Amino acid sequence: MDDRRRSFIRRAGAAALAGALPTYAGRSSAATRAHVLVVGGGFGGATAARYLRLWSEGLVEVTLVEANREFVSCPLSNLVLAGERELADLSFAYDGLRRRGVRVVHDTVIALDPVKRAVGLLGGERIGYDRLLLAPGVDFAYEDLPGLQAAPAREHVLHAWKAGPQTLSLRRQLAAMPDGGVFAITVPLAPYRCPPGPYERASVVAAYLKAHKPRAKILVLDANAEIVSKKGLFGKAWAELYPNLIEYRPNCELRDVHAATRTAILDFEQVRADVLNVIPNQRAGELARLAELRLVNQRWVDVDWRSMESTSHPGIHVVGDATFAAPAMPKSGHLANQQGKLAAAAILELLAGRSPSPTPVLTNTCYSFLDARNAVHVASVHRYDAGQKTMLPVAGAGGLSVARNEFEAKIAAAWALNIWADTLA
Amino acid sequence: MKRLHFSLVALACLTTAWSVAAQDDTLARNLVATCANCHGTDGHAVKASGMEALAGADAAKTLQKLHEFKSGVRPTTVMQQIVKGYTDEELALIVGYLARQK
Ligand SMILES: Cc1cc2nc3c(=O)[nH]c(=O)nc-3n(C[C@H](O)[C@H](O)[C@H](O)COP(=O)(O)OP(=O)(O)OC[C@H]3O[C@@H](n4cnc5c(N)ncnc54)[C@H](O)[C@@H]3O)c2cc1C
């Protein structure tokens, strides 16, 4: 028995002896003194950690292991590329969660033992748990691209699909690009993180180029047969705001990259760019494989939507981009946050010896900027369907913006402030 | 004997009433959590965001607004689309929970 579990039992025993049990809605104190370990402090994991503390009124112990010192928001990071926002404005320390009593450990989980219920960290620490929640986000399938195997190549041809240093590097590449240069973005086959994100990127970078390098061009090389999300709204904006600036090519699956010359190698063609932005194919973060969780298409974690537990490993909850999405459910920060709360609620019920809600509801809204001042949204509501054992979009609910507008750009900024607080404050 | 019997029944009723209420409250809490991404945790919107604070808002007024979104009387960009994903019972739970927040 490791130290954590020993001390867990010691504390539970002490509380029982003390008699004055802190009651959490009438639950037994052993359950309320449970320890939940959250790995990954992005939108999904940070939200789960925060709500586990809030909803248990501090009675459940929560440890969050996160590799990075700072949370850097992908939402709004495309505006950093366009020179409209500073990355520092999208970066947050984990102080808010610490103030809520979450023990935040900056380290990387490299080992996992579901039987002994413990994880091992790169730094050597071993942490036990009663329930585990994994929110590792996505990993890039670089094995599909031989030319990007080497680390230096990856610094030359950036993804900027995890906000952070890469966002700043891509911004520098764009700022250094000559007028008349070509910026090429490759879009992976769906599903990938943030379906409208690549097209938002093309839009706001186009706005930047239009103002500062009017002879430059953008090439969107899309592996998909058509624009994956908000097709009509992006198509209209590109035709009206950026005619002859953005060229869109569907069915262009990236086969390899020649990093030194910034060349995208497609099936029948090679495209040289001045700035090449490759958004690689994606799969659940490495943790999912480390835990040997059941994957769909060998990529995404199969979950029970009532509790967000792995279907192969009950007791291990998984939220966010790493999950195999339900029908019409995008991989978004909004949904990762919502799934974090669904999992937190389910974990508290399970710790109290009850079943999680049989009818969970999730909503999504994704805003995309078309230039610094105009935005559009897509929204949906998803409910658990007991017959099909998955979440289904509610017919008649959800939808798109009618047209791009300035009001929704303000709402998008307001959304960011509120979701950051709901995740981290 | 009779008195004891009575109080046991009373106790049983009380417990049932409590757990139904507690269940509803948990359901309301979970539903309100789906609003928080835009409207703040428990309706406490971040001030600088300019979003209307729903915490402590009058339940009847909020409910009326939601129904106006649903019927289309009150045009919006996104709320009329989202509100259609919730039943009227759920909307009632949501506004009640929000009204109780300080
Ligand atoms: C350009 C762009 C724009 C976007 N815009 C929007 C938007 O407007 N709205 C929206 O809703 N979504 C948007 N998204 C999508 C959103 O960013 C993701 O869906 C969201 O980040 C997913 O959250 P997550 O918690 O699953 O993963 P992440 O946020 O990626 O968090 C995973 C965390 O786990 C940590 N981690 C992984 N493995 C380990 C380990 N072994 N040990 C320790 N820590 C580990 C990582 O360091 C990371 O911090 C955008 C994405 C991009 C790229």
Side-chain angles (χ1 to χ4, degrees):
Chain A
M1 185 163 50
D2 68 62
D3 284 352
R4 263 234 41 84
R5 282 196 63 75
R6 208 192 315 274
S7 68
F8 157 66
I9 288 169
R10 196 172 53 233
R11 264 191 317 281
L17 280 176
L21 304 179
T23 49
Y24 167 54
R27 280 146 221 188
S28 85
S29 100
T32 59
R33 289 291 163 181
H35 176 229
V36 181
L37 175 60
V38 178
V39 187
F43 278 101
T47 303
R50 182 171 183 265
Y51 271 84
L52 280 165
R53 293 291 297 169
L54 272 175
W55 283 344
S56 74
E57 291 164 21
L59 292 175
V60 166
E61 289 188 28
V62 180
T63 304
L64 172 67
V65 180
E66 164 55 50
N68 298 322
R69 294 253 146 207
E70 283 194 323
F71 173 103
V72 186
S73 173
C74 286
L76 302 196
S77 70
N78 282 332
L79 290 177
V80 175
L81 300 179
E84 297 287 346
R85 288 267 187 160
E86 296 294 329
L87 194 66
D89 301 337
L90 316 185
S91 306
F92 307 91
Y94 286 91
D95 301 353
L97 294 183
R98 286 200 178 89
R99 273 195 295 276
R100 301 235 173 238
V102 176
R103 179 182 167 229
V104 183
V105 179
H106 290 297
D107 208 328
T108 302
V109 169
I110 53 159
L112 204 151
D113 186 340
V115 178
K116 292 200 178 123
R117 293 202 263 173
V119 304
L121 308 186
L122 190 61
E125 194 183 342
R126 187 184 148 86
I127 304 180
Y129 60 80
D130 299 300
R131 291 195 93 84
L132 179 64
L133 186 144
L134 304 178
V138 296
D139 266 0
F140 299 122
Y142 278 121
E143 65 274 13
D144 297 349
L145 300 170
L148 288 184
Q149 295 295 320
R154 290 186 208 166
E155 270 159 41
H156 211 51
V157 174
L158 303 161
H159 56 76
W161 216 242
K162 293 185 181 185
Q166 288 237 346
T167 314
L168 295 175
S169 300
L170 184 56
R171 168 66 191 155
R172 277 193 293 273
Q173 288 187 355
L174 285 167
M177 188 173 89
D179 192 3
V182 173
F183 172 48
I185 310 174
T186 70
V187 185
L189 274 178
Y192 57 86
R193 155 175 294 182
C194 193
Y199 315 107
E200 177 190 60
R201 178 169 290 180
S203 306
V204 296
V205 171
Y208 162 72
L209 295 177
K210 190 174 164 182
H212 296 96
K213 303 171 200 274
R215 294 189 303 117
K217 225 184 128 171
I218 298 181
L219 260 180
V220 180
L221 303 171
D222 198 334
N224 300 285
E226 57 178 13
I227 293 177
V228 175
S229 173
K230 305 174 185 165
K231 182 180 172 213
L233 292 162
F234 281 117
K236 191 162 191 289
W238 293 355
E240 289 172 3
L241 301 174
Y242 314 116
N244 308 319
L245 205 167
I246 298 179
E247 183 184 330
Y248 177 76
R249 294 197 203 159
N251 299 312
C252 286
E253 200 168 342
L254 185 68
R255 297 300 177 194
D256 201 358
V257 170
H258 191 257
T261 57
R262 292 176 162 137
T263 301
I265 300 167
L266 312 172
D267 277 328
F268 304 110
E269 197 187 354
Q270 306 205 346
V271 180
R272 230 194 133 269
D274 295 279
V275 176
L276 177 58
N277 176 201
V278 167
I279 305 169
N281 291 333
Q282 291 159 36
R283 55 161 185 261
E286 188 53 31
L287 267 180
R289 280 202 275 193
L290 200 63
E292 297 179 356
L293 305 179
R294 179 184 295 137
L295 304 179
V296 177
N297 301 329
Q298 290 162 5
R299 289 196 176 216
W300 309 107
V301 181
D302 196 35
V303 294
D304 181 333
W305 291 95
R306 290 165 300 184
S307 63
M308 304 303 300
E309 283 170 290
S310 150
T311 54
S312 59
H313 289 67
I316 301 185
H317 303 253
V318 184
V319 302
D321 287 357
T323 56
F324 176 65
M329 194 184 271
K331 296 188 183 298
S332 72
H334 194 110
L335 273 163
N337 163 297
Q338 299 247 328
Q339 291 167 14
K341 290 179 273 199
L342 196 170
I347 288 170
L348 294 176
E349 293 303 315
L350 288 162
L351 286 172
R354 295 195 292 258
S355 339
S357 161
T359 54
V361 182
L362 298 171
T363 67
N364 183 59
T365 59
C366 279
Y367 289 94
S368 298
F369 286 84
L370 298 167
D371 60 26
R373 261 159 291 284
N374 286 276
V376 289
H377 81 260
V378 60
S380 49
V381 183
H382 308 256
R383 309 183 77 101
Y384 189 73
D385 184 285
Q388 299 200 40
K389 295 196 167 133
T390 186
M391 306 283 298
L392 294 179
V394 178
L400 293 153
S401 302
V402 177
R404 65 174 182 275
N405 63 87
E406 296 197 357
F407 176 69
E408 287 196 272
K410 296 200 176 76
I411 297 291
W415 167 86
L417 290 175
N418 282 303
I419 193 173
W420 292 334
D422 192 51
T423 304
L424 295 161
Chain B
M1 236 11 240
K2 206 170 178 191
R3 279 185 70 176
L4 179 64
H5 181 70
F6 253 94
S7 60
L8 273 179
V9 170
L11 190 68
C13 289
L14 252 174
T15 322
T16 317
W18 173 82
S19 63
V20 167
Q23 261 175 38
D24 268 7
D25 203 52
T26 304
L27 182 58
R29 180 199 76 180
N30 294 350
L31 288 167
V32 166
T34 66
C35 313
N37 304 40
C38 304
H39 294 282
T41 305
D42 289 339
H44 295 286
V46 172
K47 280 229 169 59
S49 75
M51 293 296 275
E52 187 185 338
L54 296 175
D58 181 75
K61 278 192 192 139
T62 315
L63 191 61
Q64 189 187 343
K65 238 190 251 176
L66 288 171
H67 282 300
E68 287 171 4
F69 290 143
K70 211 174 201 180
S71 69
V73 176
R74 190 188 278 260
T76 62
T77 52
V78 75
M79 268 315 290
Q80 88 251 23
Q81 298 171 351
I82 290 183
V83 77
K84 291 188 185 125
Y86 296 83
T87 64
D88 288 349
E89 293 73 31
E90 288 172 337
L91 295 181
L93 281 173
I94 287 172
V95 299
Y97 186 92
L98 285 169
R100 290 197 294 278
Q101 305 307 307
K102 300 216 175 60

